[in-house]
């Protein structure tokens, strides 16, 4: 196991170039991004800063590869074999991939190594195993005629990923795209490009032909925008903020009406009814799902709506749980929680906490502040109560370890509060009353609802939101529909 992450990368400098047509290449104009990480300032400068010219080259390579048919028309069984081989290679390189994500994002190495990277690998395997169980359909109701309704690839697909769970999100989108026969150009987040750059080589090693997978690191408003506006890109799939998600819809309209898939923000409502039978478990489950990545999770249960009779008991239990998630050295396999991703993100979250204090709300943070060095960007688990549902803290996605507690006089009021949000990604209701549980689960407007649980994860379950949380779904065999189109072929018999 790598003992000292920084020394490891000083001794083994990671690949920082773009990956186009099966080769690592510098940006056409030689530009690179400059940055240090959020824990120690470790220098990570030098990652290619791709421009429109590089995106053009990558799309061209992807288009040529697509048109050659070497991958797009390869037997499904062969595609499956290659993707399963890629999963094995990820497994063999799991430690290095986890280390790359850690050094860049400063989420804990423990979290990447034991949870996130294994999840990404499981997703790769799930899609590979699922693809040959997906059937096309036929229309047989007309005499002398037969219609085949088949899935066809889109062609060249662009994938724009976020920094909060780089490998998981990349695999959720890239693997079903590939299995449907598309060629892919990936624009990773500026904050987390290294793992994607690395796994591109593993895809090649597994047998994916050159040009089928390309990576163009760079800034969102340059490389991401160029990809989304490109006339030869037929689908753009994104995870990130709702603000940028809306821009992608505009870019699609301004260019070629490409298909758009968006997984955006959230403000997960977590309803605790007076009929909740285990307040301590409800609080622990919230903490487990809210604080593990410094709250940088789009589906985090960040908005508790508790009935008056259980609110104080819930807050008391939640405050106890906060101590479990005090951040510590992100490089250590012993630490559960590391830093927030960047100084910019740190300032944004701290400004929300400062605002809560200015407003006179009750702000709880654990007294144990951990042992992080001076300058490290970390935020203690924070619980804010005493605010109204109209407050910006209850409406905006903070994307940090900050939970707000709202009070409702009835479960009905809680549901109305839950739905008074622009977001609709994930939510929960805690109650021992089955009728109440099911009624609330049906009425809360989200893509993913939990009863007496949270964050239940299974590759077979679709993931994605409604309202301004997004369009379309990741995961499950439904994901294949996102990365393909339907074509009908009619046959007439004499
Ligand atoms: P966050 O605010 O959490 O960093 P963003 O939505 O800004 O999330 O970023 C998510 C991804 O979208 C990143 O890969 C980023 O580079 C990319 N991105 C940002 N702005 C644009 C844009 N204007 N066009 C295309 N992609 C963009």
């Amino acid at each position: 196991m790598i003992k000292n992450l920084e020394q490891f990368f000083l001794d083994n400098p990671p690949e920082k170039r773009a990956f186009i047509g099966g080769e690592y290449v510098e940006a056409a104009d030689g530009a690179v991004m400059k940055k240090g990480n959020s824990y120690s300032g470790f220098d990570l400068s030098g990652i290619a800063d791709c421009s429109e010219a590089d995106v053009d080259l990558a799309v061209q390579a992807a288009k040529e590869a697509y048109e050659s048919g070497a991958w797009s028309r390869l037997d499904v069984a062969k595609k499956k074999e290659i993707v399963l081989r890629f999963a094995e290679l990820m497994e063999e390189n799991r430690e290095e991939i986890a280390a790359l994500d850690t050094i860049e994002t400063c989420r804990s190495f423990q979290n990447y190594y034991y949870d996130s990277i294994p999840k990404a690998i499981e997703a790769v395997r799930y899609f590979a195993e699922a693809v040959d169980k997906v059937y096309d359909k036929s229309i047989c109701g007309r005499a002398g005629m037969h219609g085949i309704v088949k899935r066809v690839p889109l062609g060249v697909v662009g994938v724009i990923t976020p920094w909060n769970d780089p490998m998981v999100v990349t695999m959720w989108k890239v693997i079903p795209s590939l299995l449907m026969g598309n060629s892919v150009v990936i624009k990773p987040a500026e904050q987390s490009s290294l793992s994607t750059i690395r796994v591109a080589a593993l895809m090649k090693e597994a047998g994916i032909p050159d040009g089928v997978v390309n990576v163009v690191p760079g800034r969102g408003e340059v490389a991401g925008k160029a990809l989304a506006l490109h006339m030869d890109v037929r689908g753009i799939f994104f995870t990130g903020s709702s603000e940028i998600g809306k821009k992608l819809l505009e870019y699609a309209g301004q260019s070629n009406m490409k298909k758009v898939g968006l997984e955006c923000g959230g403000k997960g409502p977590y309803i605790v009814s007076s009929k909740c039978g285990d307040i301590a478990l409800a609080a622990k489950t919230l903490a487990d799902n809210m604080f593990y990545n410094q709250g940088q999770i789009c589906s985090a249960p960040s908005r508790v709506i508790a009935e008056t009779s259980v609110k104080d008991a819930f807050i008391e239990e939640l405050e106890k749980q906060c101590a479990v998630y005090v951040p510590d050295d992100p490089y250590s396999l012993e630490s559960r929680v590391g830093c927030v991703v960047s100084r910019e993100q740190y300032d944004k979250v701290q400004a929300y906490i400062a605002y809560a204090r200015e407003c006179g709300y009750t702000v709880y943070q654990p007294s144990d502040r951990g042992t992080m060095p001076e300058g490290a960007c970390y935020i203690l688990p924070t619980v804010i109560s005493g605010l109204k549902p109209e407050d910006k803290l209850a409406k905006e996605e903070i994307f940090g370890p900050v939970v707000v507690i709202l009070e409702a006089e009835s479960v009905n009021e809680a549901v109305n509060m839950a739905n008074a949000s622009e977001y609709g990604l994930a939510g929960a209701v805690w109650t021992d009353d089955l009728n109440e549980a099911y009624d609330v689960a049906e009425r809360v407007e989200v893509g993913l609802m939990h009863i007496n649980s949270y964050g239940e994860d299974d590759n077979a379950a679709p993931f994605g939101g409604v309202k301004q949380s997004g369009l379309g779904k990741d995961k499950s065999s439904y994901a294949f529909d996102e990365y393909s189109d339907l074509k009908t072929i009619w046959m007439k018999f004499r």
Side-chain angles (χ1 to χ4, degrees), residues 352-414:
Y352 277 112
I353 298 172
Y355 162 84
R357 290 203 167 99
E358 279 161 27
C359 293
Y361 302 147
T362 306
V363 178
Y364 173 85
Q365 291 185 324
S367 52
D368 168 12
R369 309 189 73 79
T371 55
M372 285 282 211
E374 187 78 10
C377 299
Y378 70 100
I379 297 172
L380 293 168
T382 307
V383 181
I384 301 175
S385 54
L387 70 165
K388 293 261 184 310
E390 303 76 45
D391 193 282
K392 71 171 183 177
L393 293 168
K395 287 183 170 302
E396 295 174 15
E397 185 183 41
I398 297 173
F399 224 60
V402 181
V403 186
V404 298
I405 314 277
L406 304 173
E407 182 175 335
E409 280 174 11
S410 66
V411 163
N412 196 44
E413 191 190 10

Side-chain angles (χ1 to χ4, degrees), residues 1-242:
M1 190 56 81
I2 301 171
K3 287 271 174 308
N4 178 329
L5 253 71
E6 294 191 355
Q7 194 56 49
F8 177 80
F9 287 117
L10 289 171
D11 296 340
N12 307 279
E15 180 58 72
K16 293 179 176 170
R17 291 174 293 173
F19 188 78
I20 299 179
E23 302 296 331
Y24 284 114
V25 291
E26 311 224 327
D29 59 5
V32 294
M33 295 186 275
K34 197 169 174 320
K35 66 172 182 177
N37 81 11
S38 62
Y39 174 56
S40 65
F42 184 72
D43 187 21
L44 290 160
S45 300
I47 299 173
D49 187 5
C50 290
S51 67
E52 213 176 318
D54 303 294
V55 171
D56 264 344
L57 288 172
V59 173
Q60 189 57 34
K63 194 175 173 204
E64 279 168 21
Y66 179 75
E67 286 169 355
S68 80
W71 177 259
S72 54
R73 288 196 288 276
L74 190 66
D75 284 350
V76 166
K78 190 69 190 157
K79 286 195 185 89
K80 172 177 174 174
E81 188 187 314
I82 291 172
V83 171
L84 286 174
R85 172 74 189 123
F86 167 63
E88 259 171 53
L89 290 172
M90 272 192 89
E91 191 79 65
E92 285 166 23
N93 292 275
R94 171 175 155 202
E95 191 182 342
E96 185 199 346
I97 298 167
L100 286 167
D101 275 340
T102 308
I103 199 83
E104 243 190 317
T105 66
C106 299
R107 172 176 171 174
S108 82
F109 190 36
Q110 181 198 77
N111 211 222
Y112 278 122
Y113 184 74
Y114 289 114
D115 188 42
S116 169
I117 305 303
K119 262 191 196 145
I121 298 170
E122 267 173 41
V124 175
R125 293 209 168 103
Y126 169 83
F127 288 122
E129 292 294 350
V131 69
D132 56 2
K133 282 96 189 160
V134 174
Y135 287 83
D136 288 332
K137 294 191 174 169
S138 60
I139 303 162
C140 353
R142 300 188 53 191
M145 296 276 279
H146 190 84
I148 301 169
V149 183
K150 60 180 291 188
R151 282 188 185 75
V152 290
L154 300 174
V156 178
V157 155
V159 170
I160 300 179
T161 55
W163 44 261
N164 64 329
D165 209 347
M167 283 292 95
V168 166
V169 177
T170 303
M171 298 311 149
W172 281 359
K173 296 179 193 296
V174 170
I175 300 300
S177 293
L178 291 175
L179 288 165
M180 286 290 100
N182 300 289
S183 289
V184 184
V185 179
I186 312 169
K187 206 302 282 173
E190 299 79 321
Q191 299 86 343
S192 61
S193 308
L194 296 176
S195 56
T196 307
I197 293 173
R198 174 72 183 105
V199 297
L202 299 181
M203 289 187 180
K204 176 173 169 132
E205 190 182 335
I208 295 180
D210 290 353
V212 173
V213 175
N214 305 273
V215 183
V216 283
R219 284 161 295 149
E221 69 276 15
V222 179
K225 182 175 176 182
L227 188 60
L229 278 170
H230 206 291
M231 292 300 285
D232 288 330
V233 172
R234 299 278 177 77
I236 191 88
F237 298 91
F238 163 87
T239 294
S241 62
S242 300

